[in-house]
Amino acid sequence: MMLAGAGCGKAVACLQLMTTSASDPAARAADLRAQLQHHAHRYYVLDAPEIPDAEYDRLFQELQAIEAAHPELLTADSPTQRVLGKVLPGLVPVRHAVPMLSIRTETDTTAAGAEAFDARVRRELGLEADAPPVEYCAELKFDGLAINLRYERGVLVQATTRGDGETGEDVTQNIRTIGQIPLRLFGEAPELIEIRGEVYMRRDDFERLNERQREKGEKSFINPRNTAAGAVRQLDPAQVAAKKLSFFAYGLGDVQGWFQPATHSATLDAIAAFGVPVNGERAVVQGAEGLAAYHRRIAARRDALPFDIDGVVYKVNDIALQKQLGFVTREPRWAVAHKYPAQEQMTRLNDIEIQVGRTGKLTPVAKLEPVFVGGTTVSNATLHNLFELRRKKVRVGDTVIVRRAGDVIPEVVGVVPTARPRYVANFRMPRRCPVCGSAVVRERGGVDHRCTGGLFCAAQRKQALLHFAGRRAMDIEGLGDKLVDQLVDGGLIRTLPELYKLGVAKLAALDRMAEKSAANLVAALEQSKHTTLARFLYALGIRQVGEATAKDLAKHFGSLDRVMDASVEQLLEVPDVGPIVATSIRTFFEQPHNREVVEQLRAAGVRWDEHDGTADTAPRPLAGKTLVLTGTLPSLGREEAKALIEAAGGKVAGSVSKKTHYVIAGEEAGSKLDKARELGVPVLDEDGLRALLA
Ligand code: IVH
């Protein structure tokens, strides 16, 4: 009864909307634009979507359809106009209405940098020693490319690079491909406002891009900043759209018809309220001490940030004081950049070694003359693969550029061209695994060399164990690399399940292993047995299955057996799972020995609550199934039907394809029903749906 009632309510609302759209396309288009703008902001800027992607697509398509039928309703700020523009013959120069200045840099990376700036500000303001501290707004210094966004009456009309500060280049059509940058500002927009900030690339987006490049055997990019800057100045917007860029605003250019707040921090808040991304690490601090504390705090967080910064920026917060301080040459007296140690450094490449990974991949590793980079001393860096190494023309003895940013493994990104004092042979991959002597192969068309030894190879076995025991996997405390070396080298462990057969006596017999630590490890092993499906899937070390994918799989399928038996098609329905990942999972579970490992682990007592990852323990009869709703159901509203399907683990799609498992059809079902019949997809009515849900 309750469901039926609720359903009616929704149906009425829905009918009203439909009437609006049929009778007043202009109103419906405006409504859709507002909705899409809201959801795009939730998705791109706040990273907190309220509706599934499919629903967004549906709204988007509805708007596209209205605009196609009524071209006069099309507006420049319509979300449908974020489409790719033409390839340009060249970038057009644009004179800035207000010059884009740069700022002075304090290169002293200690607190002295902050003190020097504060002392200068105080002197120039004529403050006595006992005058209260100056208030500052402290921000991150993003490592990207400065961009000016010009909004007229709230609509983005032009985006320009900084250029020489007086004249930049028009990059509007490239900037329009960046989902985070609103084409129309929220709320009551000024007559004219230029918002300035930095286009940058997140580290994970950069890593993914390079991963793809390496897989294709193509040139990898050096760092996120060069990649973002290069992309923004591309002539072909399709190239830009493929890069996934981001944006943070940090200031203003020309402004007309707007009362700017009295402080810089309040100005940033206002910019954020317009829907433009502003970084949340900004802080209002007092005096030199406040600045130095901010510098220290951000230094400690630098590696954990999802993007590169090369320092922090301090700005006098009070706009009136900023005006009073003014400029020297082309730099404001009221702002300064305070640097951090560089994330790229030069050093000598002493040797190249081969490391054998968990999946047998042979990675050439650069042995470096130790160098301080990105805040730590680095003496090893990855060269990724033979092709990458060859492309970079790296040879032992060369001076190389090492990059270390965040928790990404340090890498050699390039060679500094210098004359080689003597001939150095080109590096070659060994034909036999340096650890186990098995043959080394390279898949046709692939870039990676692999040891064929599998778990016969001690290196692979060790890595597999360490991965299995890892904090994010089975989380077996105390099982570190020294112990794993002993267990594998001593022949105590050949397969993962054997881990759980280790007793205190066997362990205590090992080198440097006291009875107490042996007992602790056995307890840790026991404790690790109670885990989650996501952790277990991740722990298995299936190629291409990282933590995020493991979580998605657990959530989507709800049980291990369903994952093990899923077809490639079914796996492809999991969010973010593409053909390569799906095939890898399928291949893994097709191997009898892998299934055996799983069974032995289960037999050893490894267990989890089914449908883990989500707190709900309801049965998920529709896990892995895609349904399409069409027409009006007798008692269930569309949203209720959808909610019930999703609660049962199913997915509701907007259109019928070969991948659709069921079409649920009600009164006045249209083309979707025809399509289902054409493709032979089973068609059910509401009772049929209820039967599935039960
Ligand atoms: S303020 C008049 N704030 O650093 C002040 N700049 O020379 C204008 N940058 O290339 C700049 N993060 O693009 C400011 N939070 C931030 C910044 C920032 C990065 C860049 C800017 C310019 C350089 C400053």
Side-chain angles (χ1 to χ4, degrees):
M1 260 333 270
M2 207 186 75
L3 270 183
C8 283
K10 283 267 167 59
V12 171
C14 182
L15 262 180
Q16 275 168 349
L17 275 184
M18 286 174 52
T19 339
T20 328
S21 96
S23 62
D24 187 357
R28 179 62 181 155
D31 175 39
L32 285 168
R33 267 178 217 133
Q35 284 193 51
L36 287 164
Q37 195 194 356
H38 167 81
H39 291 303
H41 182 249
R42 301 279 320 179
Y43 181 88
Y44 289 112
V45 182
L46 305 180
D47 198 16
E50 292 169 340
I51 55 169
D53 296 2
E55 180 59 14
Y56 183 88
D57 294 345
R58 198 192 62 70
L59 296 171
F60 191 88
Q61 283 157 12
E62 187 186 340
L63 179 59
Q64 269 182 325
I66 297 178
E67 288 172 343
H70 307 276
E72 74 281 3
L73 294 179
L74 197 63
T75 59
D77 66 324
S78 174
T80 59
Q81 299 308 297
R82 230 182 248 284
V83 288
L84 299 180
K86 294 192 288 290
V87 176
L88 299 173
L91 296 178
V92 178
V94 177
R95 212 179 156 74
H96 296 301
V98 172
M100 287 182 83
L101 304 169
S102 61
I103 38 180
R104 230 185 104 97
T105 300
E106 291 290 346
T107 44
D108 185 328
T109 57
T110 68
E115 286 153 13
F117 171 61
D118 180 59
R120 247 194 341 269
V121 167
R122 293 183 71 88
R123 183 164 10 93
E124 277 150 11
L125 287 174
L127 295 178
E128 301 290 336
D130 57 355
V134 175
E135 183 174 276
Y136 296 101
C137 181
E139 298 165 34
L140 304 183
K141 187 167 187 295
F142 313 106
D143 207 3
L145 181 74
I147 291 290
N148 183 65
L149 303 173
R150 189 178 172 91
Y151 288 90
E152 289 176 4
R153 283 177 293 283
V155 178
L156 177 67
V157 293
Q158 193 173 52
T160 43
T161 61
R162 181 171 159 230
D164 63 5
E166 295 290 335
T167 306
E169 289 162 322
D170 187 326
V171 288
T172 313
Q173 67 168 8
N174 288 346
I175 293 300
R176 290 174 75 95
T177 68
I178 302 176
Q180 285 195 335
I181 296 182
L183 300 180
R184 165 182 280 281
L185 298 178
F186 284 174
E188 204 150 317
E191 180 64 24
L192 166 73
I193 186 165
E194 289 185 346
I195 296 176
R196 291 178 173 174
E198 200 92 345
V199 168
Y200 67 97
M201 195 171 190
R202 287 171 55 102
R203 283 183 199 137
D204 54 357
D205 290 328
F206 175 73
E207 286 306 313
R208 266 195 287 271
L209 173 71
N210 262 355
E211 200 62 50
R212 280 204 303 275
Q213 292 292 107
R214 282 193 286 269
E215 264 162 26
K216 288 191 285 186
E218 283 172 23
K219 190 171 170 292
S220 54
F221 296 91
I222 304 232
N223 60 38
R225 184 190 40 151
N226 291 2
T227 313
V232 168
R233 302 191 61 254
Q234 272 278 336
L235 298 178
D236 178 4
Q239 301 270 336
V240 192
K243 296 270 158 52
K244 199 159 189 306
L245 303 176
S246 301
F247 180 83
F248 279 130
Y250 53 64
L252 296 174
D254 199 6
V255 176
Q256 283 164 30
W258 189 53
F259 285 107
Q260 190 190 339
T263 61
H264 180 70
S265 57
T267 304
L268 292 181
D269 294 342
I271 294 174
F274 282 137
V276 181
V278 180
N279 181 263
E281 302 279 350
R282 63 186 186 276
V284 174
V285 302
Q286 311 295 327
E289 248 170 67
L291 294 176
Y294 182 81
H295 188 263
R296 272 195 307 274
R297 181 164 76 74
I298 298 298
R301 280 188 43 66
R302 187 185 185 191
D303 280 355
L305 294 172
F307 47 82
D308 283 359
I309 56 169
D310 56 349
V312 288
V313 177
Y314 310 138
K315 297 172 186 171
V316 170
N317 202 27
D318 188 324
I319 306 287
L321 288 186
Q322 285 190 3
K323 295 216 166 102
Q324 193 182 327
L325 284 160
F327 299 83
V328 247
T329 57
R330 304 172 47 75
E331 292 167 350
R333 285 201 189 88
W334 46 265
V336 79
H338 193 182
K339 288 270 189 175
Y340 288 128
Q343 292 179 324
E344 282 172 21
Q345 287 294 353
M346 294 190 316
T347 190
R348 199 188 111 100
L349 174 68
N350 288 333
D351 200 3
I352 299 175
E353 282 183 3
I354 292 293
Q355 212 168 61
V356 184
R358 176 166 60 78
T359 59
K361 186 186 162 200
L362 268 54
T363 303
V365 175
K367 296 287 168 182
L368 306 167
E369 197 55 40
V371 61
F372 189 70
V373 49
T376 52
T377 302
V378 167
S379 43
N380 296 314
T382 181
L383 284 157
H384 296 292
N385 64 52
L386 181 67
F387 298 90
E388 182 90 359
L389 186 162
R390 289 269 164 87
R391 202 176 305 103
K392 288 178 182 150
K393 300 191 166 51
V394 181
R395 306 234 178 148
V396 169
D398 285 349
T399 299
V400 293
I401 300 167
V402 182
R403 170 178 154 86
R404 193 203 77 96
D407 47 17
V408 178
I409 306 166
E411 57 177 347
V412 172
V413 295
V415 176
V416 183
T418 43
R420 291 189 178 109
R422 60 188 167 85
Y423 172 78
V424 181
N426 213 347
F427 175 81
R428 287 168 177 278
M429 272 293 183
R431 294 177 179 217
R432 303 240 147 233
C433 170
V435 177
C436 72
S438 300
V440 167
V441 296
R442 177 166 66 88
E443 279 163 30
R444 188 182 289 273
V447 290
D448 292 333
H449 288 75
R450 278 178 204 284
C451 158
T452 52
L455 288 184
F456 166 76
C457 175
Q460 293 187 51
R461 225 178 311 148
K462 287 176 186 174
Q463 292 301 323
L465 278 169
L466 283 171
H467 175 81
F468 185 79
R471 198 164 46 80
R472 294 158 193 271
M474 301 297 281
D475 194 17
I476 305 172
E477 219 184 295
L479 192 63
D481 45 8
K482 299 250 158 46
L483 187 52
V484 164
D485 281 352
Q486 286 194 63
L487 291 170
V488 170
D489 295 340
L492 270 82
I493 288 193
R494 302 196 59 84
T495 68
L496 289 177
E498 282 173 9
L499 253 186
Y500 290 109
K501 297 204 178 105
L502 291 171
V504 176
K506 250 192 207 168
L507 283 169
L510 292 173
D511 252 12
R512 278 173 302 177
M513 179 65 107
E515 185 104 5
K516 177 98 170 72
S517 359
N520 283 348
L521 182 62
V522 170
L525 280 164
E526 199 50 44
Q527 206 179 357
S528 76
K529 288 179 184 173
H530 196 184
T531 183
T532 68
L533 176 54
R535 280 172 172 272
F536 182 75
L537 282 168
Y538 174 62
L540 288 176
I542 306 165
R543 261 165 79 179
Q544 312 285 350
V545 177
E547 230 187 326
T549 306
K551 278 187 188 154
D552 288 343
L553 288 169
K555 193 163 170 205
H556 185 88
F557 291 105
S559 92
L560 180 61
D561 292 312
R562 291 203 194 101
V563 181
M564 293 207 295
D565 295 336
S567 64
V568 167
E569 281 237 316
Q570 287 165 333
L571 288 163
L572 284 172
E573 282 160 17
V574 179
D576 295 332
V577 168
I580 295 176
V581 181
T583 310
S584 169
I585 298 168
R586 192 62 234 134
T587 310
F588 183 91
F589 287 117
E590 264 165 12
Q591 313 305 312
H593 62 267
N594 287 336
R595 284 188 173 250
E596 209 171 295
V597 164
V598 168
E599 290 323 321
Q600 287 172 1
L601 287 170
R602 285 208 264 207
V606 174
R607 67 199 180 278
W608 51 88
D609 306 321
E610 289 283 289
H611 334 295
D612 85 296
T614 54
D616 71 47
T617 47
R620 294 164 64 86
L622 290 181
K625 299 279 186 271
T626 302
L627 288 79
V628 171
L629 298 167
T630 178
T632 312
L633 300 176
S635 71
L636 283 177
R638 181 174 283 266
E639 289 305 315
E640 277 95 69
K642 194 170 167 221
L644 288 172
I645 291 166
E646 285 173 356
K651 200 169 111 181
V652 176
S655 60
V656 181
S657 73
K658 282 184 303 197
K659 288 190 189 175
T660 312
H661 293 95
Y662 301 103
V663 167
I664 312 297
E667 284 281 310
E668 288 184 60
S671 61
K672 289 179 189 169
L673 183 56
D674 301 337
K675 186 82 192 264
R677 295 205 169 116
E678 187 189 312
L679 294 173
V681 175
V683 177
L684 305 174
D685 59 8
E686 185 176 309
D687 287 344
L689 172 62
R690 289 189 187 278
L692 280 184
L693 293 168

